[in-house]
Amino acid sequence: MDATELARLCKALGDPTRARVFLFLCQCCAQVALDDDGGARPADGPTVGEVCCHITGSPQPSSNLSFHLKELREAGLVTTERRGQRVVCRIDRATLARLAETFAAAQSCCGPDPERTNR
Amino acid sequence: MDATELARLCKALGDPTRARVFLFLCQCCAQVALDDDGGARPADGPTVGEVCCHITGSPQPSSNLSFHLKELREAGLVTTERRGQRVVCRIDRATLARLAETFAAAQSCCGPDPERTNR
DNA sequence: ACGATATTTCGATAACTATTGAAATATCGA
DNA sequence: TCGATATTTCAATAGTTATCGAAATATCGT
């Protein structure tokens, strides 16, 4: 990943509210639901209102959260999908994977030893 | 890592100039030098002037880069050490490791399948 | 101490961003 | 279609941030 894209993604995560949303969606994403035929699938993400409830504590949806979700969506970190009246949110796994790989590569690039043993 | 710290680190990386500096320092960090006794050790990082040269293309140091380095340093992503007239920069491996682990955990939290195979 | 080199700090400014409330849009059930 | 619920868009504002040039600080060699 080049610096421009890294900056774009990190800028989206560089706000406390958005970082909370991101980590919350990662948690939700781990939950598993069962299909009608009994097959396991990733659970649907939380609705915007549920995210709002988790972040702000108040059940009423806020324009502020909508703004932050838009930032995350436009950065490619989050996808949203309308389900009737509600809109469910999910982590974009592909983007997250690229981000994780970028930092893993940066880390291995720096070598295995966190302490300078010589000199 | 909690959302507050994630946001702090990502905010520091959420600027194109700083992202470039970060990736450049990761590269430099991979280089290895030899001690007087022949033991391998991580090479000294580049000086502020060298970073500036790589980022801006011009050899003259800029107050702007100094500002961005300060942001990275205060976020804990970069360390600086004076070597006479020069100041050498390095990635803070411990912070990078925590960041890499956070995204790796977020990713594994989301499960192994990037595609929804069911439904 | 002095001059040269390297880097940081300071002050000003323009651009950007988060927040808020009100209005608009979308979907559903009756 | 109407009312209710869920979400987004819009406009205004206050706070933050990147950039620039000039001045200040630090270190070295002479």
Side-chain angles (χ1 to χ4, degrees):
Chain A
M1 184 181 302
D2 68 347
T4 302
E5 189 179 8
L6 179 61
R8 214 168 37 89
L9 295 178
C10 284
K11 188 163 95 171
L13 289 174
D15 172 271
T17 300
R18 289 197 291 266
R20 290 183 67 196
V21 171
F22 173 78
L23 292 178
F24 177 59
L25 289 182
C26 284
Q27 283 175 215
C28 292
C29 196
Q31 296 171 359
V32 171
L34 294 183
D35 269 331
D36 295 339
D37 57 7
R41 59 172 175 82
D44 277 349
T47 66
V48 172
E50 285 167 342
V51 174
C52 193
C53 191
H54 178 263
I55 298 296
T56 71
S58 92
Q60 65 226 10
S62 78
S63 64
N64 194 19
L65 187 80
S66 189
F67 162 72
H68 288 303
L69 276 173
K70 190 175 83 170
E71 295 286 308
L72 289 170
R73 181 168 5 102
E74 289 180 349
L77 284 162
V78 165
T79 63
T80 59
E81 182 187 351
R82 189 169 271 275
R83 284 260 205 281
Q85 275 175 303
R86 319 287 177 84
V87 171
V88 297
C89 311
R90 291 195 205 89
I91 290 291
D92 188 316
R93 294 168 187 234
T95 305
L96 174 55
R98 304 231 323 291
L99 201 47
E101 190 188 322
T102 296
F103 284 108
Q107 193 182 9
S108 67
C109 182
C110 275
D113 53 341
E115 302 291 337
R116 298 174 71 204
T117 51
N118 293 338
R119 192 190 188 98
Chain B
M1 186 181 302
D2 68 346
T4 302
E5 189 179 10
L6 179 62
R8 213 167 38 86
L9 295 178
C10 285
K11 189 163 93 172
L13 289 175
D15 173 272
T17 300
R18 291 198 289 267
R20 289 183 67 196
V21 171
F22 173 79
L23 292 178
F24 177 59
L25 290 182
C26 283
Q27 283 175 214
C28 292
C29 196
Q31 297 170 0
V32 170
L34 294 182
D35 269 329
D36 297 338
D37 57 6
R41 61 173 174 81
D44 277 349
T47 67
V48 172
E50 286 167 341
V51 175
C52 194
C53 192
H54 178 263
I55 298 296
T56 70
S58 92
Q60 65 225 10
S62 76
S63 64
N64 194 18
L65 187 79
S66 189
F67 163 73
H68 287 303
L69 276 172
K70 190 174 82 169
E71 295 286 309
L72 288 169
R73 181 165 9 100
E74 290 181 347
L77 284 162
V78 165
T79 63
T80 59
E81 182 186 352
R82 189 169 272 274
R83 283 259 204 281
Q85 275 176 300
R86 319 286 177 84
V87 170
V88 298
C89 312
R90 292 195 206 87
I91 290 290
D92 188 317
R93 295 169 187 232
T95 304
L96 173 55
R98 304 233 320 293
L99 202 46
E101 190 189 322
T102 296
F103 284 107
Q107 193 182 8
S108 67
C109 182
C110 276
D113 53 339
E115 302 290 337
R116 298 174 70 203
T117 51
N118 291 337
R119 192 191 188 98

